[in-house]
Amino acid sequence: MPAGNTHFNNALVDLLNGINSRSVWLALGWNDVNNRYNRSKLGVFWASLSILIFVGALGPIYASLMSVETRVYMIHLLLGFIVWNFVSNIILECSKEFIGSAHYLTSFQLSYFTLLFRVVWRNTVVLCYQMLVFVILALFFRQPVAVEWAVVPLALLMIMLNALWIGLIMSILAARYRDFSELFNNIFRLVFFVTPIIWMPNANEQLNQIAQLNPFFHLIELFREPLLQGNISLVHWQITAAMAVSGWILAFALFARYRSRIAFWL
């Protein structure tokens, strides 16, 4: 059997083992969340409270500066920040996961995808708690409920798929070159400010053009647009679907090529 086929088959087995070991990564991810808020009275509800304070403090000020309706801006800021945290945390934490969990790989021989799914799951738990703030604001501002809200779970799945393939590539690069983790942190700080989270893309034509060229904008709008505006834009779905397909082809090919070397890099 050609070496290329062997590498691909081993990578595919690793992926299937990760999917089949969902009880493991569900338990590990939930334990991570509990440990993060260990000995705290509010526990994981701090994830809700911290973002409520952030949006409550900045929302009215920036809404006034941008001459935008407070209700619209605060929900825009909240949903954008929630999705940004979700995506960026998955990518950045994946870049450190193989290194930080080397003992699981050597002692328990867990698949690499089990550790990546663990990262996605623990960030999904935090996102669910942060979405409680959206419920509070939606009730407070009497945000109209739209049938388009039903697409949000599918949007979240698409966001996960895109964040995971980027995280897979980052985890391989960071395992090989340790400086990449710090480089990723600095890059994402910059990307945050050029992504329409604090600012709104419809402020003028130039900002809208910048937003359209930003792939993270389309990921955020998958989730934010139905909840905020009650709209579903096919453009965002087409772009993110293309990103997911092309990204997974690239990421899986890279993983198949270097999977056997990752353990020696840790």
Side-chain angles (χ1 to χ4, degrees):
M1 181 180 294
N5 290 342
T6 301
H7 291 322
F8 178 82
N9 290 338
N10 290 338
L12 186 59
V13 168
D14 194 287
L15 172 59
L16 295 176
N17 287 340
I19 295 173
N20 292 332
S21 62
R22 57 185 175 275
S23 60
V24 177
W25 50 261
L26 286 173
L28 289 175
W30 186 255
N31 187 61
D32 291 337
V33 175
N34 286 332
N35 288 339
R36 183 181 302 178
Y37 300 98
N38 188 30
R39 299 179 64 84
S40 169
K41 295 294 184 181
L42 292 179
V44 73
F45 283 102
W46 272 111
S48 305
L49 183 59
S50 59
I51 200 168
L52 178 61
I53 294 172
F54 173 79
V55 174
L58 292 187
I61 297 174
Y62 277 80
S64 178
L65 290 174
M66 297 181 184
S67 300
V68 180
E69 184 183 353
T70 301
R71 175 190 67 84
V72 173
Y73 181 78
M74 288 186 68
I75 296 179
H76 166 91
L77 176 63
L78 170 69
L79 295 176
F81 199 68
I82 287 175
V83 179
W84 170 260
N85 279 344
F86 182 69
V87 173
S88 62
N89 285 343
I90 287 176
I91 295 172
L92 294 175
E93 290 175 14
C94 280
S95 71
K96 303 174 183 177
E97 185 64 21
F98 291 167
I99 300 170
S101 300
H103 57 289
Y104 285 117
L105 296 171
T106 55
S107 301
F108 300 99
Q109 296 183 337
L110 292 182
S111 72
Y112 292 104
F113 274 97
T114 298
L115 297 178
L116 298 181
F117 293 155
R118 167 196 187 181
V119 174
V120 175
W121 168 240
R122 71 180 178 228
N123 281 286
T124 302
V125 172
V126 173
L127 178 142
C128 291
Y129 278 92
Q130 291 179 336
M131 283 301 293
L132 294 176
V133 181
F134 170 74
V135 175
I136 293 171
L137 290 186
L139 292 173
F140 181 79
F141 290 120
R142 297 181 180 179
Q143 176 77 0
V145 178
V147 68
E148 287 79 7
W149 288 20
V151 81
V152 168
L154 291 177
L156 185 60
L157 178 60
M158 181 65 74
I159 293 168
M160 287 181 186
L161 289 173
N162 278 283
L164 190 55
W165 75 256
I166 300 173
L168 175 58
I169 293 177
M170 296 301 103
S171 65
I172 297 170
L173 293 177
R176 180 64 180 88
Y177 305 102
R178 298 304 170 91
D179 291 332
F180 264 91
S181 293
E182 293 302 320
L183 177 62
F184 298 153
N185 285 328
N186 286 285
I187 290 175
F188 270 84
R189 290 191 190 101
L190 174 62
V191 174
F192 172 81
F193 289 105
V194 297
T195 303
I197 299 169
I198 295 178
W199 52 278
M200 303 188 74
N202 56 2
N204 59 59
E205 184 61 29
Q206 190 173 26
L207 286 178
N208 186 52
Q209 291 176 357
I210 294 173
Q212 295 297 330
L213 295 173
N214 187 338
F216 290 98
F217 165 68
H218 299 286
L219 289 175
I220 290 173
E221 284 301 293
L222 280 184
F223 193 86
R224 181 168 61 188
E225 189 178 49
L227 294 173
L228 177 60
Q229 303 174 11
N231 294 329
I232 299 174
S233 176
L234 291 180
V235 173
H236 300 311
W237 283 93
Q238 291 167 350
I239 292 175
T240 53
M243 287 168 51
V245 172
S246 57
W248 269 104
I249 292 173
L250 172 62
F252 200 78
L254 190 68
F255 177 69
R257 177 68 179 84
Y258 293 105
R259 176 186 174 277
S260 60
R261 303 185 188 182
I262 295 175
F264 298 99
W265 295 339
L266 300 178

